[in-house]
Amino acid sequence: MNPSSGPRRWVSLGGIIGAPPPLRYPRDGSFHTAPQTQPETRTPEQEAADRTARAAGYIPLETVPKDKYAGWRCKCATCGALRRPSLAAIERGTRCRHSNGGRPPAP
């Protein structure tokens, strides 16, 4: 067996094959923080879609997609499950699976 004389030292693969050491860039004026983002302006259509989703029991996690048939990341306000209903599905009465199996309520 090979007796150890202490903890093994980590050796870089670059040091073994003779690669140059990594470049170290000075932290000068060329490094900046992330640019400040402007607050998002919301259209009346987006506000109406948010109200529709909240009335159906969903909490929107992103802005409504331009296509009303595309999935929209939402969270169920009752069970907390993450869902991707489309705005069209919400408008026709589709709800989270925990309530009535996700089907629209019977008239």
Side-chain angles (χ1 to χ4, degrees):
M1 294 291 157
N2 195 0
S4 69
S5 61
R8 292 178 51 130
R9 185 171 166 258
W10 180 82
V11 179
S12 168
L13 183 60
I16 294 172
I17 61 173
L23 297 175
R24 304 279 185 218
Y25 295 103
R27 282 210 169 273
D28 57 2
S30 63
F31 286 90
H32 300 287
T33 58
Q36 296 294 325
T37 58
Q38 296 297 325
E40 187 176 316
T41 57
R42 300 186 48 81
T43 64
E45 291 82 17
Q46 289 173 333
E47 294 292 334
D50 277 357
R51 282 193 302 273
T52 302
R54 289 181 190 282
Y58 290 111
I59 300 169
L61 300 177
E62 63 185 10
T63 58
V64 64
K66 295 189 187 309
D67 181 15
K68 71 185 279 182
Y69 298 101
W72 183 19
R73 284 185 347 118
C74 294
K75 180 177 169 182
C76 178
T78 305
C79 68
L82 297 177
R83 302 285 182 223
R84 290 189 63 86
S86 66
L87 181 58
I90 293 173
E91 287 173 345
R92 73 174 170 260
T94 304
R95 301 294 180 255
C96 185
R97 290 184 201 146
H98 78 273
S99 61
N100 198 23
R103 295 181 299 279

Short mmCIF file of all heavy atoms in Angstrom, two decimals, residues 31-60:
data_model
loop_
_atom_site.label_atom_id
_atom_site.label_comp_id
_atom_site.label_asym_id
_atom_site.label_seq_id
_atom_site.Cartn_x
_atom_site.Cartn_y
_atom_site.Cartn_z
N PHE A 31 -15.62 46.48 -15.76
CA PHE A 31 -16.65 45.64 -15.17
C PHE A 31 -17.70 46.53 -14.54
O PHE A 31 -17.40 47.38 -13.72
CB PHE A 31 -16.04 44.71 -14.11
CG PHE A 31 -15.25 43.59 -14.70
CD1 PHE A 31 -13.90 43.73 -14.94
CD2 PHE A 31 -15.86 42.39 -15.02
CE1 PHE A 31 -13.17 42.70 -15.48
CE2 PHE A 31 -15.14 41.36 -15.55
CZ PHE A 31 -13.79 41.50 -15.79
N HIS A 32 -18.95 46.32 -14.92
CA HIS A 32 -20.04 47.13 -14.40
C HIS A 32 -21.11 46.21 -13.84
O HIS A 32 -21.19 45.04 -14.18
CB HIS A 32 -20.67 47.99 -15.51
CG HIS A 32 -19.69 48.94 -16.12
ND1 HIS A 32 -19.23 50.06 -15.47
CD2 HIS A 32 -19.08 48.94 -17.33
CE1 HIS A 32 -18.38 50.70 -16.25
NE2 HIS A 32 -18.27 50.03 -17.38
N THR A 33 -21.94 46.77 -13.03
CA THR A 33 -23.07 46.01 -12.54
C THR A 33 -24.10 45.90 -13.66
O THR A 33 -24.01 46.58 -14.68
CB THR A 33 -23.71 46.70 -11.32
OG1 THR A 33 -24.11 48.01 -11.71
CG2 THR A 33 -22.72 46.77 -10.17
N ALA A 34 -25.06 45.04 -13.46
CA ALA A 34 -26.10 44.85 -14.47
C ALA A 34 -26.86 46.16 -14.69
O ALA A 34 -27.07 46.93 -13.75
CB ALA A 34 -27.06 43.76 -14.04
N PRO A 35 -27.27 46.43 -15.92
CA PRO A 35 -28.00 47.67 -16.17
C PRO A 35 -29.35 47.65 -15.44
O PRO A 35 -29.96 46.62 -15.25
CB PRO A 35 -28.19 47.69 -17.68
CG PRO A 35 -28.04 46.27 -18.10
CD PRO A 35 -27.11 45.63 -17.12
N GLN A 36 -29.77 48.81 -15.04
CA GLN A 36 -31.05 48.94 -14.37
C GLN A 36 -32.16 48.69 -15.37
O GLN A 36 -32.17 49.24 -16.46
CB GLN A 36 -31.19 50.34 -13.76
CG GLN A 36 -30.19 50.65 -12.68
CD GLN A 36 -30.39 49.77 -11.46
OE1 GLN A 36 -31.52 49.43 -11.13
NE2 GLN A 36 -29.31 49.40 -10.81
N THR A 37 -33.10 47.82 -15.00
CA THR A 37 -34.22 47.55 -15.89
C THR A 37 -35.33 48.55 -15.63
O THR A 37 -35.57 48.96 -14.49
CB THR A 37 -34.76 46.13 -15.67
OG1 THR A 37 -35.14 46.00 -14.31
CG2 THR A 37 -33.69 45.09 -16.01
N GLN A 38 -35.98 48.93 -16.68
CA GLN A 38 -37.10 49.86 -16.57
C GLN A 38 -38.33 49.10 -16.08
O GLN A 38 -38.53 47.95 -16.43
CB GLN A 38 -37.39 50.50 -17.93
CG GLN A 38 -36.25 51.35 -18.45
CD GLN A 38 -35.97 52.53 -17.54
OE1 GLN A 38 -36.88 53.09 -16.96
NE2 GLN A 38 -34.70 52.89 -17.40
N PRO A 39 -39.16 49.72 -15.27
CA PRO A 39 -40.38 49.04 -14.83
C PRO A 39 -41.24 48.71 -16.05
O PRO A 39 -41.35 49.49 -16.99
CB PRO A 39 -41.06 50.04 -13.91
CG PRO A 39 -40.33 51.31 -14.05
CD PRO A 39 -39.03 51.04 -14.72
N GLU A 40 -41.83 47.55 -15.99
CA GLU A 40 -42.63 47.07 -17.12
C GLU A 40 -43.94 47.84 -17.19
O GLU A 40 -44.65 47.97 -16.19
CB GLU A 40 -42.89 45.58 -16.93
CG GLU A 40 -43.56 44.94 -18.09
CD GLU A 40 -43.71 43.45 -17.85
OE1 GLU A 40 -42.75 42.84 -17.39
OE2 GLU A 40 -44.80 42.94 -18.13
N THR A 41 -44.26 48.35 -18.36
CA THR A 41 -45.54 49.01 -18.54
C THR A 41 -46.56 47.97 -18.96
O THR A 41 -46.30 47.14 -19.82
CB THR A 41 -45.45 50.11 -19.61
OG1 THR A 41 -45.00 49.53 -20.83
CG2 THR A 41 -44.49 51.20 -19.19
N ARG A 42 -47.69 47.98 -18.31
CA ARG A 42 -48.71 46.97 -18.57
C ARG A 42 -49.84 47.59 -19.36
O ARG A 42 -50.28 48.70 -19.08
CB ARG A 42 -49.20 46.39 -17.26
CG ARG A 42 -48.04 45.73 -16.50
CD ARG A 42 -48.43 45.02 -15.27
NE ARG A 42 -49.55 44.13 -15.35
CZ ARG A 42 -49.49 42.88 -15.81
NH1 ARG A 42 -48.35 42.40 -16.24
NH2 ARG A 42 -50.55 42.12 -15.82
N THR A 43 -50.31 46.85 -20.34
CA THR A 43 -51.41 47.31 -21.17
C THR A 43 -52.73 46.96 -20.50
O THR A 43 -52.78 46.08 -19.62
CB THR A 43 -51.35 46.66 -22.56
OG1 THR A 43 -51.52 45.24 -22.41
CG2 THR A 43 -50.02 46.96 -23.25
N PRO A 44 -53.81 47.60 -20.91
CA PRO A 44 -55.13 47.25 -20.35
C PRO A 44 -55.51 45.79 -20.64
O PRO A 44 -56.17 45.14 -19.83
CB PRO A 44 -56.09 48.21 -21.04
CG PRO A 44 -55.25 49.37 -21.44
CD PRO A 44 -53.89 48.81 -21.73
N GLU A 45 -55.04 45.24 -21.78
CA GLU A 45 -55.33 43.85 -22.10
C GLU A 45 -54.65 42.90 -21.11
O GLU A 45 -55.22 41.89 -20.69
CB GLU A 45 -54.89 43.50 -23.53
CG GLU A 45 -55.69 44.18 -24.61
CD GLU A 45 -55.22 45.60 -24.89
OE1 GLU A 45 -54.09 45.96 -24.48
OE2 GLU A 45 -56.00 46.36 -25.48
N GLN A 46 -53.41 43.24 -20.73
CA GLN A 46 -52.70 42.42 -19.75
C GLN A 46 -53.36 42.50 -18.38
O GLN A 46 -53.48 41.49 -17.68
CB GLN A 46 -51.24 42.85 -19.65
CG GLN A 46 -50.42 42.50 -20.87
CD GLN A 46 -49.03 43.09 -20.80
OE1 GLN A 46 -48.80 44.11 -20.15
NE2 GLN A 46 -48.09 42.45 -21.47
N GLU A 47 -53.81 43.68 -18.02
CA GLU A 47 -54.51 43.84 -16.74
C GLU A 47 -55.80 43.03 -16.73
O GLU A 47 -56.13 42.37 -15.73
CB GLU A 47 -54.81 45.31 -16.46
CG GLU A 47 -53.57 46.16 -16.24
CD GLU A 47 -52.85 45.81 -14.95
OE1 GLU A 47 -53.47 45.30 -14.01
OE2 GLU A 47 -51.63 46.05 -14.90
N ALA A 48 -56.54 43.06 -17.84
CA ALA A 48 -57.79 42.29 -17.93
C ALA A 48 -57.52 40.79 -17.86
O ALA A 48 -58.26 40.05 -17.21
CB ALA A 48 -58.53 42.64 -19.22
N ALA A 49 -56.45 40.34 -18.52
CA ALA A 49 -56.10 38.92 -18.48
C ALA A 49 -55.71 38.50 -17.06
O ALA A 49 -56.09 37.42 -16.60
CB ALA A 49 -54.95 38.64 -19.45
N ASP A 50 -54.98 39.35 -16.35
CA ASP A 50 -54.63 39.05 -14.96
C ASP A 50 -55.88 38.95 -14.08
O ASP A 50 -55.99 38.05 -13.25
CB ASP A 50 -53.69 40.12 -14.40
CG ASP A 50 -52.24 39.89 -14.77
OD1 ASP A 50 -51.93 38.86 -15.41
OD2 ASP A 50 -51.40 40.75 -14.42
N ARG A 51 -56.81 39.86 -14.27
CA ARG A 51 -58.05 39.81 -13.50
C ARG A 51 -58.84 38.54 -13.80
O ARG A 51 -59.39 37.91 -12.90
CB ARG A 51 -58.91 41.05 -13.79
CG ARG A 51 -58.44 42.30 -13.07
CD ARG A 51 -59.48 43.40 -13.13
NE ARG A 51 -59.84 43.77 -14.51
CZ ARG A 51 -59.18 44.67 -15.24
NH1 ARG A 51 -58.14 45.28 -14.74
NH2 ARG A 51 -59.58 44.94 -16.47
N THR A 52 -58.85 38.14 -15.08
CA THR A 52 -59.55 36.91 -15.47
C THR A 52 -58.92 35.70 -14.80
O THR A 52 -59.62 34.83 -14.28
CB THR A 52 -59.52 36.74 -17.00
OG1 THR A 52 -60.12 37.89 -17.62
CG2 THR A 52 -60.25 35.50 -17.44
N ALA A 53 -57.59 35.64 -14.80
CA ALA A 53 -56.89 34.51 -14.19
C ALA A 53 -57.12 34.48 -12.68
O ALA A 53 -57.37 33.42 -12.10
CB ALA A 53 -55.40 34.59 -14.49
N ARG A 54 -57.07 35.63 -12.04
CA ARG A 54 -57.27 35.67 -10.59
C ARG A 54 -58.70 35.30 -10.22
O ARG A 54 -58.94 34.64 -9.20
CB ARG A 54 -56.90 37.04 -10.03
CG ARG A 54 -55.40 37.27 -10.07
CD ARG A 54 -55.01 38.62 -9.51
NE ARG A 54 -53.62 38.91 -9.77
CZ ARG A 54 -52.61 38.41 -9.09
NH1 ARG A 54 -52.84 37.57 -8.10
NH2 ARG A 54 -51.37 38.73 -9.38
N ALA A 55 -59.67 35.70 -11.04
CA ALA A 55 -61.06 35.33 -10.79
C ALA A 55 -61.26 33.82 -10.94
O ALA A 55 -62.14 33.24 -10.29
CB ALA A 55 -61.98 36.08 -11.74
N ALA A 56 -60.45 33.18 -11.78
CA ALA A 56 -60.55 31.74 -11.99
C ALA A 56 -59.75 30.95 -10.95
O ALA A 56 -59.76 29.72 -10.96
CB ALA A 56 -60.05 31.39 -13.39
N GLY A 57 -59.04 31.64 -10.05
CA GLY A 57 -58.31 30.95 -9.00
C GLY A 57 -56.85 30.72 -9.33
O GLY A 57 -56.20 29.87 -8.72
N TYR A 58 -56.29 31.46 -10.28
CA TYR A 58 -54.87 31.34 -10.63
C TYR A 58 -54.13 32.61 -10.26
O TYR A 58 -54.68 33.70 -10.33
CB TYR A 58 -54.71 31.12 -12.14
CG TYR A 58 -55.18 29.77 -12.62
CD1 TYR A 58 -56.30 29.65 -13.42
CD2 TYR A 58 -54.48 28.61 -12.31
CE1 TYR A 58 -56.73 28.41 -13.88
CE2 TYR A 58 -54.89 27.38 -12.76
CZ TYR A 58 -56.02 27.29 -13.54
OH TYR A 58 -56.42 26.06 -13.99
N ILE A 59 -52.86 32.45 -9.90
CA ILE A 59 -51.98 33.59 -9.65
C ILE A 59 -50.97 33.61 -10.79
O ILE A 59 -50.15 32.69 -10.91
CB ILE A 59 -51.26 33.45 -8.30
CG1 ILE A 59 -52.27 33.36 -7.17
CG2 ILE A 59 -50.29 34.60 -8.09
CD1 ILE A 59 -51.68 32.96 -5.84
N PRO A 60 -51.00 34.60 -11.69
CA PRO A 60 -50.07 34.64 -12.81
C PRO A 60 -48.62 34.81 -12.32
O PRO A 60 -48.34 35.62 -11.45
CB PRO A 60 -50.51 35.86 -13.62
CG PRO A 60 -51.90 36.15 -13.16
CD PRO A 60 -51.98 35.68 -11.75
#
